[in-house]
């Protein structure tokens, strides 16, 4: 694999999946020790139709949100390294499938992070425009409301995340596609690249002339498109790659 891509001028696009946050103590979903691998029923908690139809499932979902290890998580070396790209003046946009906001905590500018699957810090009603914080809703759960309804219309509340079977936000996806289309370098980090349309950002980038670098410990459906495949641990690989990108421009 060539290493010439590191010295390319232009914008840098980054797609991050659950694998980038495992060093922060947040398990991934589909890996050998992933949440859904160990407990396939847990995937239903993220399935929109099942969530709407089953009050008991919603009760379990609220407990899972309460106990999510992301509340205690802190950015790791990979998050920090990506933030250094923006801090060094590189034009970088991060498209993340994660809902943990660790990129922003690490120092990546919020307006350069596109959360295509939403975030875990806010709550919305599926039937009206009610919005509130997750902390306020979990206080209701702690006070005895196992499945707290919307105080405005009585509808179902959920985290401000995009569940399976739920329509993606069109404007957010257009922003993500534009970031991929205009990238000279596109890094796909810690994603199985099995969930669409997020994974297709790799193809969008390559079709528009970007060099694709995939950092993942397992094979992905987009490996054949990659300029370089990196199988070493993400916490070591991303800081190394960022350092090399910055050095190549220096």
């Amino acid at each position: 694999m060539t290493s010439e891509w590191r010295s390319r001028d232009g914008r840098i696009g980054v797609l991050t999946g659950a694998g980038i946050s495992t060093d922060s103590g947040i398990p991934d979903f589909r890996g050998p020790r992933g949440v859904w691998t160990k407990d396939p029923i847990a995937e239903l908690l993220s399935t929109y139709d099942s969530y709407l139809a089953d009050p008991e499932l919603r009760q379990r979902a609220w407990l899972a949100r309460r106990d999510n290890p992301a509340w205690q998580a802190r950015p790791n070396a990979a998050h920090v390294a990506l933030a250094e790209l923006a801090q060094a003046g590189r034009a970088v946009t991060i498209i993340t499938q994660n809902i943990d906001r660790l990129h922003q905590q690490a120092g990546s500018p919020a307006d350069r992070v596109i959360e295509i699957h939403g975030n875990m810090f806010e709550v919305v009603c599926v039937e009206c425009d009610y919005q509130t914080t997750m902390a306020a809703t979990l206080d209701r759960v702690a006070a005895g409301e196992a499945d707290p309804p919307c105080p405005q219309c009585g509808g179902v509340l959920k985290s401000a995340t995009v569940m399976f079977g739920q329509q993606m936000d069109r404007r957010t996806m257009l922003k993500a596609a534009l970031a991929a289309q205009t990238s000279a370098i596109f890094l796909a980090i810690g994603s199985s690249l099995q969930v669409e349309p997020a994974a297709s950002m790799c193809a969008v980038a390559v079709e528009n002339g970007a060099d694709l670098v995939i950092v993942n410990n397992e094979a992905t459906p987009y490996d054949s498109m990659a300029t370089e495949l990196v199988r070493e641990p993400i916490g070591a690989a991303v800081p190394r790659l960022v350092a090399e990108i910055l050095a190549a421009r220096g």
Side-chain angles (χ1 to χ4, degrees):
M1 296 288 185
T2 179
S3 61
E4 294 178 357
W5 63 266
R6 292 170 175 80
S7 61
R8 287 195 65 177
D9 289 326
R11 296 180 178 275
I12 300 172
V14 184
L15 173 67
T16 63
I20 198 172
S21 293
T22 56
D23 282 354
S24 295
I26 304 174
D28 62 16
F29 299 102
R30 292 182 173 81
R33 301 175 62 185
V35 174
W36 297 339
T37 304
K38 295 166 66 176
D39 180 11
I41 296 177
E43 189 169 352
L44 290 175
L45 302 181
S46 297
T47 303
Y48 190 60
D49 288 343
S50 298
Y51 182 84
L52 294 183
D54 189 344
E56 291 186 6
L57 191 67
R58 293 199 297 274
Q59 293 175 24
R60 181 175 172 179
W62 287 112
L63 296 179
R65 291 165 184 146
R66 180 197 65 186
D67 299 334
N68 194 320
W71 295 117
Q72 286 75 45
R74 295 294 178 266
N76 61 54
H79 296 108
V80 173
L82 291 176
E84 290 172 356
L85 285 172
Q87 293 162 5
R90 293 301 303 265
V92 57
T93 300
I94 298 173
I95 305 165
T96 186
Q97 296 173 272
N98 299 337
I99 61 173
D100 52 38
R101 291 199 164 163
L102 291 180
H103 287 298
Q104 294 93 321
Q105 290 184 38
S108 289
D111 64 350
R112 305 306 299 171
V113 180
I114 302 173
E115 299 173 319
I116 59 174
H117 290 163
N119 73 84
M120 62 179 281
F121 297 88
E122 299 169 359
V123 167
V124 297
C125 177
V126 303
E127 297 177 32
C128 74
D129 61 359
Y130 177 78
Q131 298 183 38
T132 188
T133 64
M134 180 62 72
T137 309
L138 290 179
D139 284 345
R140 293 176 61 187
V141 175
E145 295 185 71
D147 179 23
C150 174
Q152 190 165 287
C153 74
V156 172
L157 296 180
K158 64 179 290 291
S159 62
T161 57
V162 179
M163 293 179 161
F164 287 116
Q166 188 176 8
Q167 188 172 6
M168 303 286 283
D169 181 74
R170 183 172 178 273
R171 291 181 63 184
T172 300
M173 292 309 300
L174 285 173
K175 288 174 60 179
L178 180 61
Q181 289 168 3
T182 57
S183 295
I185 298 171
F186 196 79
L187 309 176
I189 303 170
S191 174
S192 66
L193 301 181
Q194 295 181 35
V195 177
E196 299 292 358
S200 64
M201 295 299 126
C202 294
V204 171
V206 171
E207 289 166 2
N208 285 275
D211 282 315
L212 171 64
V213 180
I214 296 176
V215 185
N216 202 58
N217 61 3
E218 297 181 354
T220 81
Y222 288 86
D223 285 1
S224 62
M225 291 187 176
T227 300
E228 185 168 338
L229 299 173
V230 181
R231 299 299 191 208
E232 68 186 280
I234 291 170
V238 175
R240 174 180 62 79
L241 292 173
V242 168
E244 291 173 357
I245 290 170
L246 294 178
R249 283 290 302 273

